[in-house]
Amino acid sequence: SQQGEEDPQALSIQEGENATMNCSYKTSINNLQWYRQNSGRGLVHLILIRSNEREKHSGRLRVTLDTSKKSSSLLITASRAADTASYFCATDEPYFSGNTGKLIFGQGTTLQVKP
Amino acid sequence: GAVVSQHPSRVICKSGTSVKIECRSLDFQATTMFWYRQFPKQSLMLMATSNEGSKATYEQGVEKDKFLINHASLTLSTLTVTSAHPEDSSFYICSARPLSAGYTEAFFGQGTRLTVV
């Protein structure tokens, strides 16, 4: 099952520009995470934001979470060609629902950063 | 950080044969592991939750007899695609999450590209 939409589906920018990706989800969550996937590879964890947090930073990454709108955004500042990848948000079930640890992924955004 | 190893990374098999994919957590114990399937340019679809010492929990629409999951130890889960057909060709990824004061990040295997000819 898919949790929700991500937009844009594809984003192409120049090196040095900022990239913003959005994610919406449908159910209550415990936390929301963002992952990166290089083509044909596994996923790498970028950042986790808990349901009681509104914003979080990690290096060039900034994540916001609006639980009232069931949405999150990932901002990559001063992008580099090496940031070219697909980015996915993933949500965690609330503990009270019998959380099994499974993550449900959004549709993903494919980011291309041109040198 | 924690490491999850998946093997093989790529396999080509003939239609009708079975293929086994292994997923190992190398430096932590995982009572549950997760198997995902990913089609080109699409997101990850959760197929099943692998439970150590008990039956796997399959997502709706996933054939349990087609995708056999075994989780025989706290560090190894296997996915066997039985009687594979071309439509089973896909990218399969496993993941596991260390449980320490609640679940945090997930660690993913490198993925297995299955091609059925």
Side-chain angles (χ1 to χ4, degrees), chain A residues 2 33 35 37 92 101 103 106, chain B residues 36 38 43-45 97 106:
Chain A
Q2 291 302 132
Q33 304 180 40
Y35 288 84
Q37 183 183 34
D92 213 347
L103 292 174
Chain B
Y36 293 85
Q38 186 179 33
S43 185
L44 282 74
M45 294 290 294
R97 300 175 75 181

Side-chain angles (χ1 to χ4, degrees), chain A residues 91-93 98-103, chain B residues 32 34 36 95 97 103-104 106:
Chain A
T91 52
D92 213 347
E93 298 171 313
N99 187 329
T100 60
K102 68 180 182 183
L103 292 174
Chain B
T32 55
F34 305 92
Y36 293 85
S95 79
R97 300 175 75 181
Y103 293 109
T104 55

Side-chain angles (χ1 to χ4, degrees), chain B residues 26-102:
Chain B
L26 297 186
D27 51 3
F28 66 96
Q29 294 183 331
T31 55
T32 55
M33 291 185 178
F34 305 92
W35 288 96
Y36 293 85
R37 181 174 181 174
Q38 186 179 33
F39 290 105
K41 300 188 186 303
Q42 294 191 23
S43 185
L44 282 74
M45 294 290 294
L46 180 65
M47 298 174 65
T49 301
S50 173
N51 303 300
E52 188 268 334
S54 64
K55 293 181 180 180
T57 305
Y58 290 83
E59 295 298 305
Q60 193 172 9
V62 177
E63 299 176 59
K64 59 181 66 176
D65 294 330
K66 174 75 169 175
F67 299 99
L68 298 180
I69 290 173
N70 183 272
H71 196 146
S73 77
L74 288 171
T75 58
L76 174 64
S77 174
T78 60
L79 168 68
T80 301
V81 182
T82 63
S83 187
H85 288 94
E87 57 265 29
D88 299 322
S89 298
S90 190
F91 191 60
Y92 294 87
I93 310 176
C94 69
S95 79
R97 300 175 75 181
L99 178 58
S100 174

Side-chain angles (χ1 to χ4, degrees), chain A residues 64-85:
Chain A
T64 62
L65 179 64
D66 187 335
T67 53
S68 66
K69 296 180 179 178
K70 290 186 166 56
S71 67
S72 174
S73 68
L74 171 67
L75 168 67
I76 304 175
T77 60
S79 63
R80 305 166 183 168
D83 294 328
T84 295

Side-chain angles (χ1 to χ4, degrees), chain B residues 15-27:
Chain B
S15 190
T17 61
S18 295
V19 173
K20 180 185 283 189
I21 303 170
E22 291 188 348
C23 181
R24 295 180 185 273
S25 57
L26 297 186
D27 51 3

